[in-house]
Protein backbone atom coordinates (compact mmCIF):
# COMPACT_ATOMS: atom_id res chain seq x y z
CA UNK A 1 0.00 0.00 0.00
CA UNK A 2 1.35 3.37 -1.00
CA UNK A 3 0.42 6.98 -1.62
CA UNK A 4 0.27 7.40 -5.38
CA UNK A 5 -0.12 10.68 -7.25
CA UNK A 6 -2.05 10.54 -10.52
CA UNK A 7 -1.47 13.42 -12.93
CA UNK A 8 -4.13 13.08 -15.63
CA UNK A 9 -6.35 15.61 -17.39
CA UNK A 10 -8.92 13.19 -18.81
CA UNK A 11 -11.70 12.56 -16.25
CA UNK A 12 -12.49 9.04 -17.48
CA UNK A 13 -8.83 8.01 -17.36
CA UNK A 14 -8.45 9.60 -13.94
CA UNK A 15 -11.46 7.66 -12.62
CA UNK A 16 -10.17 4.37 -14.04
CA UNK A 17 -6.61 4.85 -12.76
CA UNK A 18 -7.79 5.88 -9.31
CA UNK A 19 -10.26 3.00 -9.11
CA UNK A 20 -7.65 0.41 -10.09
CA UNK A 21 -5.04 1.75 -7.66
CA UNK A 22 -7.50 2.00 -4.78
CA UNK A 23 -8.74 -1.53 -5.53
CA UNK A 24 -5.13 -2.65 -5.03
CA UNK A 25 -5.11 -0.95 -1.62
CA UNK A 26 -3.25 2.23 -2.51
CA UNK A 27 -4.31 5.73 -1.58
CA UNK A 28 -4.55 8.21 -4.38
CA UNK A 29 -3.82 11.91 -4.82
CA UNK A 30 -5.05 13.61 -7.96
CA UNK A 31 -3.85 16.49 -10.14
CA UNK A 32 -5.27 17.46 -13.52
CA UNK A 33 -2.26 19.38 -14.81
CA UNK A 34 1.52 19.24 -14.47
CA UNK A 35 1.86 22.44 -12.45
CA UNK A 36 -0.52 21.22 -9.74
CA UNK A 37 1.02 17.75 -9.89
CA UNK A 38 4.54 19.03 -9.34
CA UNK A 39 3.34 21.13 -6.42
CA UNK A 40 1.64 18.12 -4.82
CA UNK A 41 4.74 15.98 -5.43
CA UNK A 42 7.01 18.47 -3.65
CA UNK A 43 4.70 18.90 -0.67
CA UNK A 44 3.22 15.42 -0.19
CA UNK A 45 6.06 13.24 -1.46
CA UNK A 46 4.06 10.38 -3.02
CA UNK A 47 5.66 6.93 -3.21
CA UNK A 48 5.02 6.91 -6.96
CA UNK A 49 3.62 9.11 -9.72
CA UNK A 50 1.41 7.97 -12.59
CA UNK A 51 2.04 10.62 -15.25
CA UNK A 52 -0.12 11.22 -18.30
CA UNK A 53 2.03 12.48 -21.16
CA UNK A 54 -0.53 14.62 -22.97
CA UNK A 55 -1.43 17.38 -20.53
CA UNK A 56 -2.50 20.99 -21.04
CA UNK A 57 0.37 23.44 -20.52
CA UNK A 58 3.52 21.66 -19.40
CA UNK A 59 3.33 18.11 -20.78
CA UNK A 60 4.11 14.96 -18.82
CA UNK A 61 7.59 14.49 -20.26
CA UNK A 62 8.66 18.04 -19.41
CA UNK A 63 7.14 17.67 -15.94
CA UNK A 64 9.02 14.39 -15.44
CA UNK A 65 12.30 16.02 -16.43
CA UNK A 66 11.66 18.86 -13.96
CA UNK A 67 10.75 16.46 -11.13
CA UNK A 68 13.87 14.37 -11.79
CA UNK A 69 16.07 17.48 -11.65
CA UNK A 70 14.59 18.61 -8.33
CA UNK A 71 16.40 16.95 -5.38
CA UNK A 72 13.18 16.91 -3.33
CA UNK A 73 11.34 14.83 -5.95
CA UNK A 74 14.11 13.11 -7.95
CA UNK A 75 13.77 9.78 -6.13
CA UNK A 76 10.02 9.40 -6.75
CA UNK A 77 9.44 6.73 -9.42
CA UNK A 78 7.38 7.94 -12.38
CA UNK A 79 5.28 5.76 -14.66
CA UNK A 80 4.48 7.43 -17.98
CA UNK A 81 1.08 6.73 -19.51
CA UNK A 82 0.84 7.44 -23.20
CA UNK A 83 -1.36 6.66 -26.14
CA UNK A 84 -1.46 3.18 -27.58
CA UNK A 85 0.39 3.07 -30.87
CA UNK A 86 2.64 5.99 -30.00
CA UNK A 87 5.82 4.35 -31.27
CA UNK A 88 8.07 7.10 -29.96
CA UNK A 89 6.33 7.27 -26.59
CA UNK A 90 8.43 4.73 -24.79
CA UNK A 91 11.79 6.11 -25.91
CA UNK A 92 10.73 9.67 -25.16
CA UNK A 93 9.47 8.64 -21.74
CA UNK A 94 12.79 7.02 -20.85
CA UNK A 95 14.67 10.01 -22.21
CA UNK A 96 12.74 12.32 -19.91
CA UNK A 97 13.62 10.13 -16.93
CA UNK A 98 10.45 8.08 -16.58
CA UNK A 99 11.06 4.81 -14.72
CA UNK A 100 8.46 2.83 -16.64
CA UNK A 101 5.96 3.23 -19.43
CA UNK A 102 2.49 1.85 -19.92
CA UNK A 103 0.24 2.36 -22.94
CA UNK A 104 -3.31 3.65 -23.12
CA UNK A 105 -5.91 2.28 -23.05
CA UNK A 106 -4.92 1.40 -19.53
CA UNK A 107 -4.93 -2.31 -18.74
CA UNK A 108 -5.08 -3.26 -15.08
CA UNK A 109 -2.39 -5.93 -15.38
CA UNK A 110 0.12 -3.57 -17.01
CA UNK A 111 -0.62 -0.94 -14.37
CA UNK A 112 -0.26 -3.32 -11.42
CA UNK A 113 2.93 -4.87 -12.81
CA UNK A 114 4.56 -1.46 -13.30
CA UNK A 115 3.45 -0.20 -9.87
CA UNK A 116 4.57 -3.35 -8.04
CA UNK A 117 7.94 -3.30 -9.80
CA UNK A 118 8.65 0.26 -8.69
CA UNK A 119 7.33 0.31 -5.15
CA UNK A 120 10.02 -0.65 -2.68
CA UNK A 121 9.05 -2.37 0.57
CA UNK A 122 8.37 -0.01 3.44
CA UNK A 123 11.52 0.69 5.44
CA UNK A 124 11.31 -0.44 9.04
CA UNK A 125 11.63 2.38 11.56
CA UNK A 126 15.20 2.92 12.70
CA UNK A 127 15.89 1.51 16.18
CA UNK A 128 16.13 4.13 18.88
CA UNK A 129 19.76 4.49 19.90
MN1 LIG B 1 -4.07 13.70 -21.29
Amino acid sequence: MADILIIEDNPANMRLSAMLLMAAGHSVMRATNAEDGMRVARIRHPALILMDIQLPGIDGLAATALLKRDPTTAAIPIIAVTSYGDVTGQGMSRGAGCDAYIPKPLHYRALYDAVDALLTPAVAPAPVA
Side-chain angles (χ1 to χ4, degrees), residues 7-10 13 52-56 81 104:
I7 305 178
E8 169 64 75
D9 64 317
N10 179 286
N13 290 334
D52 181 31
I53 295 306
Q54 277 130 19
L55 293 167
V81 184
K104 284 181 181 178

Side-chain angles (χ1 to χ4, degrees), residues 66-87:
L66 289 168
L67 289 166
K68 292 296 185 181
R69 273 205 295 271
D70 181 337
T72 65
T73 53
I76 303 171
I78 298 178
I79 300 174
V81 184
T82 191
S83 300
Y84 182 76
D86 179 358
V87 291

